[in-house]
Structure formats: C-alpha cells, structure tokens
Amino acid sequence: MRIDVFTLVPHAYAWLTEQRPLAAVLGTELDLRLLNYRDTTPLRAGQVDDEPYGGGAGMVLRVDVVAAALDAVYGDEPAQRVIALSPQGRQLTQAVVEELAREEHVVLLSARFEGFDERIVRHLASDAISVGPYVLSNGDLPAMVLVDAIARRLPGALAEGSGEWESFSAELDGGLEYPHYTRPAEFRGWNVPDVLVSGDHKRIEDWRREQSRARSVH
Ligand SMILES: C[S@@+](CC[C@H](N)C(=O)[O-])C[C@H]1O[C@@H](n2cnc3c(N)ncnc32)[C@H](O)[C@@H]1O
C-alpha cells in the first residue's frame, strides 16, 4: 500500500519512520511518501496560507496551494482516497483504520493554524477524519496516528499473533483486551492471578475472554 502525506514538516516524521512496526513494513508492504506543500506552491517565497476572508485571527491553508501539490504528484489521475485531517471530520475508530488498511493508496492532508480553506475539504478531499474531539495545533500528529495505526495492520508489521487479540479486534468482539502480567509473580503483595501460572490453556483463554468482556461493559 502507498500512503502520501502532504505536510509542511516532512522532517517531523523521521522519528515515526524509525520505529517498529512502521520500520518493519517500510519499503515492502508500505510505501510512505512525505510531500511538502512548499515544494510546489505557486506563490512567492514559499507562501502556503493566507488571511481569512471576513476577518478574524489566524491563517488558512490556501486551496490553490493544495491543488498545485496534488496536481504535481497525481496529474491527470487524481487519487481516490484523499483525507483531510480535521477535528471536524468523522471520528477515527479501529473500524476506520481497518477500512483504510485495505486501500491501495491513501493520501493525507495536514493543515495548521486555522485549518483548510473549506474548498479543499469539499472539492479536493474525499473524506475528513478527526483523531478525537479536541483541537491539536496541526494535522501532523493526527497523520502520524493514522500512519502508525494503518501500518500495524499490514502483513509483517507485527510478530505472529500479536495483532489479532487486541482491543477492538473481531477476536474480542470489538471489546477491550484482557489484562497482562509479567515477572515478578509477586510484588509488594500484588500477585499475578493464579490462573495465569496454572499452565491450563483452556482456563487461561476462558479467563481472558471473561476479563475482556468485563472491562468492555460501559
Ligand atoms: C488548530 S487546528 C484548526 C482548528 C479549526 N480552526 C477548528 O476550530 O475546527 C489546525 C489543524 O490541525 C489539525 N487538527 C487539529 N485537531 C485535529 C483533530 N482532532 N483531528 C484531526 N486533525 C486535527 C487539522 O489539520 C487542522 O486543520
């Protein structure tokens, strides 16, 4: 799959690309391109945003700048799945992540300051996604959230089996994952549940399912 991220800070993604599971699929299952609006802006001095019509504080990402960036990369064959990252978009869930992970090509548009000229969202994007009902300073953390969440669903990203029994997975009926414990078995009088050290795999699986169900009840 290919993910193209349009941003003003491609260098900010360096940390993410060095981390597993993303690093494990980069160049094989995932082709990640980081594209800078400034490289293709039709405006002078690398300008990409402008004052809002009607007045008010802040700057708005220009529609001609984003159109030029998309045209430069896709030309006459516009990308189908162009997602504007916006607190006003539909909320990101694991189901949305699974949906995107099945795509061959996803384009993410990041904005900053006051956000996008509305014509970008209406005419250049196919979708808008929010990572939660709160406002961040720019779309780059949301873009990284999406890239990471998608990457870990790609083949080879995770160790065998570790991506299946997770919170929100079908294996747990969309519920939360059961609790985990590791050594030491006793610490400050806090003991690991006996069942986990019983060696009885059937009991362990039943206990885990029960724990998952219990913590998934709202
Ligand atoms: C400061 S925000 C703009 C908020 C906008 N003025 C509003 O009130 O809806 C700047 C940019 O950060 C990104 N952003 C902020 N919060 C986000 C969220 N919860 N989900 C996705 N993107 C977000 C978007 O790209 C947004 O255009």
Side-chain angles (χ1 to χ4, degrees), residues 11-111:
H11 59 275
Y13 292 72
W15 171 83
L16 180 71
T17 58
E18 288 162 5
Q19 307 302 309
R20 291 183 73 89
L22 191 60
V25 290
L26 268 186
T28 53
E29 291 294 328
L30 178 64
D31 178 12
L32 176 68
R33 294 193 298 185
L34 302 165
L35 303 144
N36 194 332
Y37 296 118
R38 286 199 206 286
D39 292 343
T40 48
T41 180
L43 308 175
R44 275 184 297 154
Q47 184 187 348
V48 294
D49 30 35
D50 222 321
E51 295 162 355
Y53 280 118
M59 299 287 273
V60 176
L61 185 60
R62 286 179 54 139
V63 63
D64 50 351
V65 168
V66 176
L70 293 172
D71 287 351
V73 178
Y74 310 118
D76 296 336
E77 282 187 54
Q80 299 298 306
R81 205 68 203 265
V82 181
I83 298 168
L85 294 157
S86 165
Q88 302 178 23
R90 69 174 167 141
Q91 206 94 165
L92 184 63
T93 61
Q94 190 62 34
V96 175
V97 170
E98 305 294 337
E99 172 197 319
L100 295 176
R102 287 193 292 271
E103 296 278 356
E104 275 181 22
H105 185 201
V106 170
V107 177
L108 303 178
L109 303 178
S110 172

